[in-house]
Amino acid sequence: MGIKMETKNLSIYYKNYKALNSVSLPIKENAVTALIGPSGCGKTTFLRSLNRMIEVIEGARIEGNVLLDGKNIYDPEVDPVELRKKVGMVFQKPNPFPMSIFDNVAYGPRIHGVKKKPLLEEIVEKSLKAAALWDEVKDRLYESALGLSGGQQQRLVIARVLAVEPQVILMDEPASALDPISTAKLEDLIEQLKEKYTIVIVTHNMQQAARISDYTAFFLNGELVEYDETRIIFTTPKEKRTEDYITGRFG
Amino acid sequence: MGTKEVIITVESIKPKFFEKLIQNILKLTAGTTILVLFLIFFFLLKEGYGIFSYVSLRDFILGTQWLPETTPPKFGALPLIKGSLYVTVGATLIAVPIGISVAVFLAEAAPPMLREVLKAVIELLAGIPSVVYGFLGLTILAPFIKELFNLSSALCAFTASIVLALMSLPTIVSISEDVLTTVPKEYREASLALGATKWETTLKIVIPAARTGLIAAAMLGIGRAIGETMAVLMVAGNAVMLPHSFFDPVRTITANIAAEMGETVHGGLHYQALFGLGIVLFVITFIINFLTNILAADKLGMKRGRYL
Ligand SMILES: Nc1ncnc2c1ncn2[C@@H]1O[C@H](COP(=O)(O)OP(=O)(O)OP(=O)(O)O)[C@@H](O)[C@H]1O
Ligand SMILES: [Mg+2]
């Protein structure tokens, strides 16, 4: 499998605080890469560096390179707006816009120039179906998205990302607000999505990481401790710290 | 067992008692506000209703001649009502777009240092008494406008609109800026992460999300403009004539009340007519408030399936 993205000696600072320390990690194409590690170890920070959303945070500073298809995305000539069309992101907290369900999903296509209503309707339906939300909302597309349950909101923001047709999807704990049934649906969804997309997912759920990911990266205190195929990480990790963490013997 | 029960009851009564108390205090304050409003309105009615046995309501509102000194006096308030509308609408058209644009610039684009400095200056401007604005309008703005449009006199609705716009700008800007900065950063981030530019995010997410607050900011600013008397008295030309354009001199309802109240006899016809004007002003303000409330209701945009 090809390498879609890659970080090289990536360090990130918030003002003077070093949140990531020289992380070098490949992201394989059409595969699911799971990021695991205790709270505050830098998973969200790492994720945000992959679509330059880290630059939105005041005081954040970056060292090192991040490659997408072999090109450094922090090159001065790379437009972050164009980059973010290719590398979509689902945030840790579901954040639908205060507008209708339809407008939420149509937002991306609209700003990228799709105007025709029939085409928009088609995109919205396709994206909502892909995010396993269509059946639940098809009769209330024009009602406020804020009226959806937490789990539905989470699938809505996934549909919103899918509507832009990115190449890479970054997901920050997408299942943290979901019940077991929705979680299972979401995992099925991710399984399907990886045929077309490259997926990076942060999760605190070890079983989930084991179930859905092909590769796993274990972070600790801003360092990448270990990266390998998921089955190796979960059966024969090289590092003692990895083993302690995934078996829950940490701390 | 017995003691336990007692403890449980005491614990469950205590919060309920305070809950009730607070609820009642809130009800009382809300009730008082409404009561005061009604009292004001009834006072206006009581002092002013007599005029409507002299002129009909229709003639009072649509009559074009306001001549309180002639015999018999004529009380047609249309010139004043139209004067107020011209000046208020003019001020709104100038102040709201500019005010909100400035607020957007401050909240979204200005570097933090500049923002703090400008905010402080603007809040300072809000505290300047209206007479000062009127004086500056009279001595600086009016001659300038006279030159610019080649007018015989620049004391007209247009000049008054500009002075009122300047007066309401600080209010509109500082409240709008506050409203814009309270839009959750999650909305902005979601938009940026979907590949929207900063500008698209501002236009399509931040401003719509802040819409209700922005309307409130505009209302507060305009509220200052409608109720303003001094500055308008100084620069609007102060002629009780039916205006036909923005460059005609006007007198507003408030200015007229202030100008003539001193000459009236308590309880006389003229006195009642001025209170009649007060009633008209009250009703106009009420209608405007009502309309903006409808405008600000979130559901409208939602039903049309468009952005909020
Ligand atoms: N905006 C910020 N400003 C300053 N420090 C920050 C900021 N965001 C994160 N940090 C710090 O950087 C470190 C890594 O944070 P990050 O959010 O990446 O952790 P995480 O692994 O995603 O944790 P969690 O699992 O709790 O979401 C933490 O110590 C955090 O306090
Ligand atoms: Mg996180």
Side-chain angles (χ1 to χ4, degrees):
Chain A
M1 250 181 261
I3 291 175
K4 183 68 184 172
M5 296 190 80
E6 188 169 13
T7 67
K8 290 198 161 154
N9 301 319
L10 177 72
S11 297
I12 291 173
Y13 300 81
Y14 293 112
K15 304 238 164 65
N16 296 321
Y17 176 72
K18 195 170 192 178
L20 271 191
N21 186 13
S22 193
V23 172
S24 299
L25 181 69
I27 311 284
K28 298 276 174 69
E29 192 159 14
N30 293 346
V32 178
T33 303
L35 309 181
I36 60 171
S39 191
C41 68
K43 304 180 296 294
T44 300
T45 305
F46 179 80
L47 215 56
R48 276 174 167 270
S49 74
L50 299 180
N51 66 347
R52 292 182 64 167
M53 281 302 287
I54 195 77
E55 293 176 324
V56 174
I57 297 170
E58 231 167 276
R61 195 159 53 79
I62 173 159
E63 279 171 10
N65 290 336
V66 179
L67 309 182
L68 172 68
D69 296 324
K71 285 200 213 66
N72 185 11
I73 62 171
Y74 287 93
D75 249 18
E77 68 247 33
V78 174
D79 181 1
V81 170
E82 289 298 316
L83 170 74
R84 288 173 195 147
K85 279 191 222 169
K86 293 188 209 152
V87 185
M89 181 164 203
V90 175
F91 290 83
Q92 194 158 355
K93 272 192 288 181
N95 54 355
F97 298 126
M99 42 171 95
S100 74
I101 294 169
F102 184 94
D103 286 336
N104 260 279
V105 183
Y107 181 78
R110 272 187 179 134
I111 54 172
H112 300 313
V114 181
K115 293 216 171 63
K116 297 216 175 67
K117 183 89 178 170
L119 182 54
L120 281 173
E121 279 170 353
E122 194 186 312
I123 295 174
V124 169
E125 180 172 345
K126 205 174 82 185
S127 309
L128 285 171
K129 277 182 175 156
L133 187 60
W134 175 252
D135 289 332
E136 287 160 68
V137 300
K138 62 172 184 279
D139 300 321
R140 49 194 279 208
L141 288 177
Y142 296 100
E143 285 170 32
S144 171
L146 302 183
L148 296 174
S149 76
Q152 289 171 329
Q153 289 188 4
Q154 193 60 277
R155 278 175 285 152
L156 177 69
V157 298
I158 291 173
R160 192 171 65 185
V161 169
L162 295 179
V164 182
E165 302 208 309
Q167 299 166 11
V168 182
I169 303 179
L170 313 172
M171 297 188 179
D172 202 345
E173 288 185 60
S176 60
L178 302 188
D179 66 277
I181 296 171
S182 312
T183 304
K185 275 192 201 165
L186 182 73
E187 290 181 6
D188 285 347
L189 170 65
I190 291 170
E191 193 68 35
Q192 288 164 27
L193 289 178
K194 82 175 182 193
E195 288 169 20
K196 278 177 72 185
Y197 304 90
T198 300
I199 294 172
V200 185
I201 182 170
V202 172
T203 177
H204 279 292
N205 181 329
M206 291 307 113
Q207 286 82 18
Q208 185 171 60
R211 274 196 304 268
I212 61 172
S213 70
D214 305 294
Y215 299 89
T216 298
F218 172 55
F219 284 77
L220 191 61
N221 297 331
E223 311 242 357
L224 174 64
V225 175
E226 192 169 354
Y227 166 80
D228 215 319
E229 281 181 43
T230 298
R231 65 183 166 81
I232 295 177
I233 292 275
F234 279 89
T235 51
T236 50
K238 290 182 197 70
E239 290 273 340
K240 175 91 168 53
R241 287 177 293 173
T242 312
E243 189 182 339
D244 286 350
Y245 182 71
I246 57 182
T247 53
R249 257 184 283 132
F250 201 76
Chain B
M1 176 82 183
T3 37
K4 205 175 182 185
E5 260 172 306
V6 170
I7 290 167
I8 289 168
T9 13
V10 167
E11 274 183 351
S12 51
I13 280 178
K14 236 183 164 183
K16 262 193 196 146
F17 173 75
F18 280 109
E19 197 102 331
K20 275 260 161 67
L21 186 73
I22 288 168
Q23 259 181 23
N24 285 333
I25 291 176
L26 290 178
K27 270 184 200 158
L28 195 74
T29 36
T32 314
T33 318
I34 294 170
L35 187 72
V36 167
L37 199 67
F38 268 104
L39 285 178
I40 291 175
F41 191 59
F42 279 123
F43 179 73
L44 279 178
L45 274 184
K46 179 173 133 330
E47 299 293 304
Y49 83 96
I51 191 64
F52 298 116
S53 51
Y54 179 75
V55 286
S56 71
L57 180 63
R58 193 172 168 280
D59 288 346
F60 186 72
I61 291 175
L62 297 178
T64 56
Q65 284 184 305
W66 182 269
L67 300 166
E69 303 291 311
T70 56
T71 32
K74 287 183 179 161
F75 297 110
L78 192 62
L80 304 171
I81 296 173
K82 234 178 145 182
S84 273
L85 287 183
Y86 265 60
V87 169
T88 309
V89 169
T92 308
L93 290 180
I94 299 168
V96 171
I98 295 180
I100 291 183
S101 308
V102 172
V104 167
F105 169 74
L106 285 182
E108 302 287 313
M113 267 295 285
L114 183 64
R115 173 188 317 162
E116 291 314 312
V117 173
L118 283 180
K119 272 191 76 173
V121 171
I122 285 165
E123 263 146 40
L124 208 72
L125 287 179
I128 296 178
S130 57
V131 181
V132 176
Y133 279 99
F135 181 71
L136 292 179
L138 199 61
T139 54
I140 298 174
L141 187 66
F144 176 73
I145 286 177
K146 187 174 164 180
E147 282 283 293
L148 194 67
F149 293 99
N150 211 359
L151 304 168
S152 55
S153 162
L155 299 182
C156 59
F158 182 68
T159 310
S161 297
I162 295 181
V163 171
L164 281 192
L166 288 176
M167 279 181 51
S168 44
L169 268 176
T171 314
I172 298 180
V173 172
S174 66
I175 297 178
S176 300
E177 201 268 348
D178 284 345
V179 170
L180 288 169
T181 43
T182 53
V183 171
K185 78 173 194 317
E186 283 81 9
Y187 294 166
R188 299 166 206 265
E189 294 204 326
S191 172
L192 293 173
L194 288 166
T197 60
K198 186 151 200 272
W199 186 226
E200 286 166 336
T201 302
T202 302
L203 273 185
K204 295 187 171 157
I205 300 296
V206 179
I207 293 178
R211 205 191 53 162
T212 319
L214 292 179
I215 291 175
M219 280 306 297
L220 284 170
I222 301 312
R224 189 169 180 195
I226 300 178
E228 178 47 40
T229 313
M230 262 338 278
V232 176
L233 205 56
M234 292 165 83
V235 294
N238 215 11
V240 194
M241 303 180 335
L242 199 62
H244 296 289
S245 89
F246 271 105
F247 295 105
D248 285 339
V250 295
R251 184 186 272 192
T252 62
I253 298 177
T254 47
N256 191 68
I257 296 175
E260 293 181 357
M261 196 47 113
E263 313 157 4
T264 64
V265 184
H266 183 95
L269 209 53
H270 191 186
Y271 174 92
Q272 289 178 339
L274 293 185
F275 271 94
L277 286 179
I279 297 173
V280 171
L281 194 61
F282 191 92
V283 172
I284 293 178
T285 317
F286 192 80
I287 292 173
I288 292 177
N289 268 326
F290 186 71
L291 290 181
T292 38
N293 267 337
I294 292 178
L295 204 74
D298 277 353
K299 286 179 199 108
L300 277 181
M302 214 50 132
K303 285 221 177 86
R304 277 184 270 117
R306 294 290 309 160
Y307 298 120
L308 275 184

PDB file of all heavy atoms in Angstrom, chain B residues 49-62:
ATOM      1  N   TYR B  49     -55.418  62.253  25.314  1.00  0.00           N
ATOM      2  CA  TYR B  49     -56.579  61.797  24.526  1.00  0.00           C
ATOM      3  C   TYR B  49     -57.527  62.936  24.176  1.00  0.00           C
ATOM      4  O   TYR B  49     -58.236  62.898  23.182  1.00  0.00           O
ATOM      5  CB  TYR B  49     -57.334  60.667  25.235  1.00  0.00           C
ATOM      6  CG  TYR B  49     -58.318  61.119  26.292  1.00  0.00           C
ATOM      7  CD1 TYR B  49     -59.668  61.276  25.993  1.00  0.00           C
ATOM      8  CD2 TYR B  49     -57.877  61.399  27.590  1.00  0.00           C
ATOM      9  CE1 TYR B  49     -60.565  61.723  26.953  1.00  0.00           C
ATOM     10  CE2 TYR B  49     -58.761  61.838  28.552  1.00  0.00           C
ATOM     11  CZ  TYR B  49     -60.107  61.997  28.238  1.00  0.00           C
ATOM     12  OH  TYR B  49     -60.967  62.431  29.184  1.00  0.00           O
ATOM     13  N   GLY B  50     -57.513  63.998  25.002  1.00  0.00           N
ATOM     14  CA  GLY B  50     -58.410  65.118  24.777  1.00  0.00           C
ATOM     15  C   GLY B  50     -58.281  65.722  23.387  1.00  0.00           C
ATOM     16  O   GLY B  50     -59.252  66.225  22.808  1.00  0.00           O
ATOM     17  N   ILE B  51     -57.073  65.649  22.842  1.00  0.00           N
ATOM     18  CA  ILE B  51     -56.849  66.269  21.543  1.00  0.00           C
ATOM     19  C   ILE B  51     -57.709  65.633  20.453  1.00  0.00           C
ATOM     20  O   ILE B  51     -58.080  66.275  19.482  1.00  0.00           O
ATOM     21  CB  ILE B  51     -55.341  66.201  21.168  1.00  0.00           C
ATOM     22  CG1 ILE B  51     -55.035  67.095  19.942  1.00  0.00           C
ATOM     23  CG2 ILE B  51     -54.911  64.800  20.845  1.00  0.00           C
ATOM     24  CD1 ILE B  51     -55.247  68.553  20.171  1.00  0.00           C
ATOM     25  N   PHE B  52     -58.051  64.349  20.684  1.00  0.00           N
ATOM     26  CA  PHE B  52     -58.766  63.641  19.623  1.00  0.00           C
ATOM     27  C   PHE B  52     -60.256  63.987  19.604  1.00  0.00           C
ATOM     28  O   PHE B  52     -60.987  63.544  18.722  1.00  0.00           O
ATOM     29  CB  PHE B  52     -58.560  62.134  19.746  1.00  0.00           C
ATOM     30  CG  PHE B  52     -57.102  61.762  19.588  1.00  0.00           C
ATOM     31  CD1 PHE B  52     -56.394  61.194  20.638  1.00  0.00           C
ATOM     32  CD2 PHE B  52     -56.448  62.026  18.395  1.00  0.00           C
ATOM     33  CE1 PHE B  52     -55.062  60.889  20.497  1.00  0.00           C
ATOM     34  CE2 PHE B  52     -55.107  61.722  18.254  1.00  0.00           C
ATOM     35  CZ  PHE B  52     -54.412  61.155  19.304  1.00  0.00           C
ATOM     36  N   SER B  53     -60.711  64.807  20.564  1.00  0.00           N
ATOM     37  CA  SER B  53     -62.076  65.309  20.430  1.00  0.00           C
ATOM     38  C   SER B  53     -62.054  66.650  19.678  1.00  0.00           C
ATOM     39  O   SER B  53     -63.077  67.156  19.246  1.00  0.00           O
ATOM     40  CB  SER B  53     -62.744  65.445  21.810  1.00  0.00           C
ATOM     41  OG  SER B  53     -61.911  66.168  22.673  1.00  0.00           O
ATOM     42  N   TYR B  54     -60.834  67.190  19.520  1.00  0.00           N
ATOM     43  CA  TYR B  54     -60.695  68.427  18.733  1.00  0.00           C
ATOM     44  C   TYR B  54     -60.405  68.105  17.271  1.00  0.00           C
ATOM     45  O   TYR B  54     -61.030  68.643  16.369  1.00  0.00           O
ATOM     46  CB  TYR B  54     -59.589  69.302  19.337  1.00  0.00           C
ATOM     47  CG  TYR B  54     -59.362  70.582  18.582  1.00  0.00           C
ATOM     48  CD1 TYR B  54     -60.273  71.647  18.683  1.00  0.00           C
ATOM     49  CD2 TYR B  54     -58.257  70.731  17.739  1.00  0.00           C
ATOM     50  CE1 TYR B  54     -60.068  72.811  17.973  1.00  0.00           C
ATOM     51  CE2 TYR B  54     -58.055  71.904  17.027  1.00  0.00           C
ATOM     52  CZ  TYR B  54     -58.962  72.939  17.146  1.00  0.00           C
ATOM     53  OH  TYR B  54     -58.776  74.087  16.441  1.00  0.00           O
ATOM     54  N   VAL B  55     -59.416  67.214  17.046  1.00  0.00           N
ATOM     55  CA  VAL B  55     -59.197  66.692  15.688  1.00  0.00           C
ATOM     56  C   VAL B  55     -59.385  65.179  15.730  1.00  0.00           C
ATOM     57  O   VAL B  55     -59.098  64.544  16.743  1.00  0.00           O
ATOM     58  CB  VAL B  55     -57.766  66.971  15.147  1.00  0.00           C
ATOM     59  CG1 VAL B  55     -57.604  68.411  14.764  1.00  0.00           C
ATOM     60  CG2 VAL B  55     -56.733  66.530  16.156  1.00  0.00           C
ATOM     61  N   SER B  56     -59.832  64.608  14.619  1.00  0.00           N
ATOM     62  CA  SER B  56     -59.971  63.156  14.599  1.00  0.00           C
ATOM     63  C   SER B  56     -58.577  62.536  14.532  1.00  0.00           C
ATOM     64  O   SER B  56     -57.603  63.180  14.117  1.00  0.00           O
ATOM     65  CB  SER B  56     -60.786  62.719  13.385  1.00  0.00           C
ATOM     66  OG  SER B  56     -60.018  62.905  12.212  1.00  0.00           O
ATOM     67  N   LEU B  57     -58.478  61.289  14.949  1.00  0.00           N
ATOM     68  CA  LEU B  57     -57.190  60.583  14.933  1.00  0.00           C
ATOM     69  C   LEU B  57     -56.596  60.622  13.526  1.00  0.00           C
ATOM     70  O   LEU B  57     -55.400  60.859  13.332  1.00  0.00           O
ATOM     71  CB  LEU B  57     -57.394  59.127  15.389  1.00  0.00           C
ATOM     72  CG  LEU B  57     -56.126  58.267  15.424  1.00  0.00           C
ATOM     73  CD1 LEU B  57     -55.126  58.818  16.420  1.00  0.00           C
ATOM     74  CD2 LEU B  57     -56.461  56.825  15.774  1.00  0.00           C
ATOM     75  N   ARG B  58     -57.491  60.437  12.540  1.00  0.00           N
ATOM     76  CA  ARG B  58     -57.061  60.408  11.155  1.00  0.00           C
ATOM     77  C   ARG B  58     -56.448  61.760  10.747  1.00  0.00           C
ATOM     78  O   ARG B  58     -55.346  61.817  10.182  1.00  0.00           O
ATOM     79  CB  ARG B  58     -58.263  60.077  10.270  1.00  0.00           C
ATOM     80  CG  ARG B  58     -57.874  59.704   8.859  1.00  0.00           C
ATOM     81  CD  ARG B  58     -59.063  59.186   8.069  1.00  0.00           C
ATOM     82  NE  ARG B  58     -58.687  59.127   6.672  1.00  0.00           N
ATOM     83  CZ  ARG B  58     -58.675  60.181   5.867  1.00  0.00           C
ATOM     84  NH1 ARG B  58     -59.053  61.353   6.320  1.00  0.00           N
ATOM     85  NH2 ARG B  58     -58.288  60.052   4.602  1.00  0.00           N
ATOM     86  N   ASP B  59     -57.148  62.843  11.087  1.00  0.00           N
ATOM     87  CA  ASP B  59     -56.643  64.168  10.729  1.00  0.00           C
ATOM     88  C   ASP B  59     -55.373  64.508  11.501  1.00  0.00           C
ATOM     89  O   ASP B  59     -54.503  65.222  11.001  1.00  0.00           O
ATOM     90  CB  ASP B  59     -57.712  65.237  11.008  1.00  0.00           C
ATOM     91  CG  ASP B  59     -58.848  65.157  10.007  1.00  0.00           C
ATOM     92  OD1 ASP B  59     -58.655  64.463   8.979  1.00  0.00           O
ATOM     93  OD2 ASP B  59     -59.916  65.744  10.260  1.00  0.00           O
ATOM     94  N   PHE B  60     -55.277  63.988  12.709  1.00  0.00           N
ATOM     95  CA  PHE B  60     -54.085  64.245  13.519  1.00  0.00           C
ATOM     96  C   PHE B  60     -52.864  63.605  12.859  1.00  0.00           C
ATOM     97  O   PHE B  60     -51.809  64.219  12.740  1.00  0.00           O
ATOM     98  CB  PHE B  60     -54.286  63.669  14.928  1.00  0.00           C
ATOM     99  CG  PHE B  60     -53.179  64.010  15.887  1.00  0.00           C
ATOM    100  CD1 PHE B  60     -53.034  65.295  16.396  1.00  0.00           C
ATOM    101  CD2 PHE B  60     -52.266  63.046  16.284  1.00  0.00           C
ATOM    102  CE1 PHE B  60     -52.018  65.612  17.278  1.00  0.00           C
ATOM    103  CE2 PHE B  60     -51.252  63.351  17.164  1.00  0.00           C
ATOM    104  CZ  PHE B  60     -51.127  64.637  17.667  1.00  0.00           C
ATOM    105  N   ILE B  61     -53.031  62.362  12.406  1.00  0.00           N
ATOM    106  CA  ILE B  61     -51.891  61.646  11.841  1.00  0.00           C
ATOM    107  C   ILE B  61     -51.615  62.063  10.403  1.00  0.00           C
ATOM    108  O   ILE B  61     -50.459  62.184   9.996  1.00  0.00           O
ATOM    109  CB  ILE B  61     -52.149  60.121  11.920  1.00  0.00           C
ATOM    110  CG1 ILE B  61     -52.115  59.682  13.387  1.00  0.00           C
ATOM    111  CG2 ILE B  61     -51.089  59.349  11.146  1.00  0.00           C
ATOM    112  CD1 ILE B  61     -52.469  58.242  13.586  1.00  0.00           C
ATOM    113  N   LEU B  62     -52.671  62.324   9.627  1.00  0.00           N
ATOM    114  CA  LEU B  62     -52.472  62.600   8.206  1.00  0.00           C
ATOM    115  C   LEU B  62     -52.514  64.083   7.853  1.00  0.00           C
ATOM    116  O   LEU B  62     -52.163  64.463   6.740  1.00  0.00           O
ATOM    117  CB  LEU B  62     -53.507  61.830   7.375  1.00  0.00           C
ATOM    118  CG  LEU B  62     -53.407  60.305   7.465  1.00  0.00           C
ATOM    119  CD1 LEU B  62     -54.495  59.649   6.639  1.00  0.00           C
ATOM    120  CD2 LEU B  62     -52.027  59.822   7.017  1.00  0.00           C
TER     121      LEU B  62
END
